[in-house]
Amino acid sequence: MIEIKITIDAALSLLLQRMKVELKVRQKSGLVAPGFRLEDLMYKDLIALVEASVFDTVFLLPVELIRTETNLVQIITDTIRALSRVLHREEFLLYKKEKTQRIISIVSSRLNKSLKESNFIYN
């Protein structure tokens, strides 16, 4: 097992930055009204934004961290729960580890599919 050493505050900072980028993208595409801040969104919209941001951030990690056993699920789950104190939403405290595992498994399966040997035959 590879142990990733990052503080929850550092991970929270990274997640919040990615969430702000995702919010701007959604505002430009018309999914969210311009002028809205993270704090202004309903929980349903906010959790979708959080999960999209987690998905994007996990895709940016080295492949080995995603494909091997790590403490990544725990770090992400704790980081999402820490959003409760930053965004003043207690709903984040109820975020389940299984949801994080599902996000990581989607990324992992897509990576595994793209890394099959047969995909490189025609390159």
Side-chain angles (χ1 to χ4, degrees):
M1 179 174 159
I2 298 174
E3 184 178 352
I4 302 169
K5 295 196 179 215
I6 184 171
T7 64
I8 297 303
D9 288 334
L12 184 60
S13 176
L14 290 171
L15 181 59
L16 284 169
Q17 287 175 354
R18 186 65 203 163
M19 287 172 62
K20 289 175 185 176
V21 169
E22 185 69 28
L23 179 62
K24 287 180 185 178
V25 167
R26 289 179 185 214
Q27 286 174 334
K28 285 183 182 179
S29 65
L31 296 173
V32 176
F36 269 79
R37 299 173 307 148
L38 292 173
E39 297 84 5
D40 300 332
L41 296 174
M42 292 178 18
Y43 179 74
K44 181 183 101 171
D45 298 325
L46 196 54
I47 196 66
L49 187 88
V50 168
E51 290 177 343
S53 299
V54 167
F55 185 84
D56 292 344
T57 303
V58 170
F59 246 114
L60 295 174
L61 292 173
V63 174
E64 188 168 327
L65 287 180
I66 299 168
R67 295 184 72 202
T68 60
E69 185 180 343
T70 63
N71 59 338
L72 187 60
V73 172
Q74 188 63 46
I75 290 170
I76 293 171
T77 304
D78 291 347
T79 303
I80 293 173
R81 289 176 182 166
L83 283 171
S84 66
R85 66 181 154 92
V86 175
L87 298 176
H88 308 292
R89 300 284 180 99
E90 291 183 14
E91 297 96 332
F92 286 115
L93 291 173
L94 302 174
Y95 196 81
K96 296 184 188 247
K97 205 173 185 179
E98 291 79 20
K99 287 185 173 187
T100 305
Q101 184 61 49
R102 189 171 354 130
I103 293 170
I104 292 176
S105 66
I106 291 169
V107 173
S108 180
S109 67
R110 289 185 186 199
L111 286 174
N112 288 337
K113 185 177 179 182
S114 69
L115 292 174
K116 286 183 179 177
E117 289 182 36
S118 61
N119 288 345
F120 298 105
I121 291 174
Y122 302 107
N123 286 343

